[in-house]
Amino acid sequence: NAGVTQTPKFQVLKTGQSMTLQCAQDMNHNSMYWYRQDPGMGLRLIYYSASEGTTDKGEVPNGYNVSRLNKREFSLRLESAAPSQTSVYFCASSEGWEREQFFGPGTRLTVL
Amino acid sequence: GEDVEQSLFLSVREGDSSVINCTYTDSSSTYLYWYKQEPGAGLQLLTYIFSNMDMKQDQRLTVLLNKKDKHLSLRIADTQTGDSAIYFCAEMRGTGRRALTFGSGTRLQVQP
């Protein structure tokens, strides 16, 4: 089992460019999450998907969109990147909302 | 993560015990978690405690929960250099959004 995988590992964008961060899990988990981590701060929830076919906003959803493509995959899209979106992005999954979350290795994104 | 607070830094000597503290504000929290993050890596669940418990022990780790004061602590016995990392506490609230709220993390430095 690979667990939670994320691509790419690193990305540099110019302001205004768009990109999609990919996340996949092979644990047959129902719930998936996207977080961002900024220096000196804990992880903040961007969006989550409690189950296949549903998505909900988290604490900091502005500037992002998500797609729960199927049970395995949950992507995060930046339509028009801004320097404030420079961060490390983590995807996570869990069997259900009350269960342990397993994290991917993260994507380090820099927006110039 | 402003509702979950942790001190930023802790330094201990190898072999000593480490105690990392966390306070939270939501009395409806059902589960409280401790995650470990090593440099350049994702988060790894260390342990968790259900809100109706006062204490949980798991090998070198002891979690204490004071629900009245909304205070959570993680004690690491016989701290090793490999324990050097950032430790995050997180709460799962019993109402509202079914997702974790993280503290800003405590960096543990273990001196040989």
Side-chain angles (χ1 to χ4, degrees):
Chain A
N1 282 355
V4 180
T5 57
Q6 293 182 235
T7 55
K9 286 190 167 42
F10 301 93
Q11 184 72 50
V12 179
L13 293 177
K14 293 182 180 176
T15 297
Q17 286 185 315
S18 62
M19 80 159 296
T20 300
L21 280 64
Q22 307 287 354
C23 173
Q25 50 91 9
D26 61 2
M27 296 174 282
N28 201 35
H29 284 170
N30 291 311
S31 303
M32 297 185 74
Y33 311 83
W34 276 106
Y35 294 91
R36 61 178 287 174
Q37 184 180 28
D38 300 302
M41 300 184 74
L43 278 70
R44 292 183 293 167
L45 183 67
I46 304 171
Y47 270 94
Y48 68 107
S49 171
S51 60
E52 188 179 356
T54 69
T55 61
D56 287 286
K57 293 179 180 179
E59 189 184 345
V60 288
N62 290 347
Y64 305 95
N65 284 303
V66 289
S67 295
R68 183 75 183 267
L69 304 167
N70 46 55
K71 194 170 186 182
R72 288 189 63 246
E73 297 171 288
F74 188 39
S75 63
L76 178 73
R77 182 158 179 85
L78 286 71
E79 289 291 350
S80 179
S84 61
Q85 294 178 304
T86 294
S87 189
V88 181
Y89 291 85
F90 289 100
C91 177
S93 71
S94 64
E95 277 188 39
W97 66 265
E98 77 285 9
R99 304 299 298 273
E100 173 189 357
Q101 290 187 21
F102 292 82
F103 283 80
T107 295
R108 189 174 293 274
L109 176 68
T110 301
V111 183
L112 302 174
Chain B
E2 71 267 16
D3 294 338
V4 181
E5 294 189 357
Q6 302 177 238
S7 53
L8 287 179
F9 185 75
L10 176 66
S11 180
V12 300
R13 290 203 173 274
E14 193 172 17
D16 288 349
S17 292
S18 308
V19 179
I20 302 171
N21 295 301
C22 171
T23 57
Y24 61 99
T25 57
D26 192 329
S27 58
S28 74
S29 294
T30 54
Y31 288 88
L32 295 129
Y33 301 83
W34 283 104
Y35 281 86
K36 176 183 180 183
Q37 185 181 34
E38 296 184 8
L43 275 70
Q44 172 195 0
L45 180 70
L46 283 178
T47 187
Y48 66 94
I49 188 167
F50 189 50
S51 59
N52 68 353
M53 297 168 66
D54 298 324
M55 185 181 89
K56 182 178 180 182
Q57 186 147 9
D58 184 1
Q59 299 183 332
R60 292 191 296 124
L61 305 178
T62 303
V63 179
L64 295 177
L65 176 61
N66 180 328
K67 230 185 149 177
K68 175 175 165 289
D69 295 338
K70 300 189 185 69
H71 182 265
L72 181 73
S73 67
L74 174 69
R75 179 177 181 270
I76 306 173
D78 187 25
T79 312
Q80 303 297 307
T81 54
D83 295 323
S84 293
I86 301 175
Y87 291 80
F88 292 93
C89 69
E91 61 173 345
M92 175 66 74
R93 295 177 179 174
T95 58
R97 184 187 305 137
R98 299 300 200 205
L100 294 175
T101 300
F102 284 86
S104 55
T106 299
R107 182 179 295 276
L108 175 64
Q109 182 179 72
V110 182
Q111 314 264 15

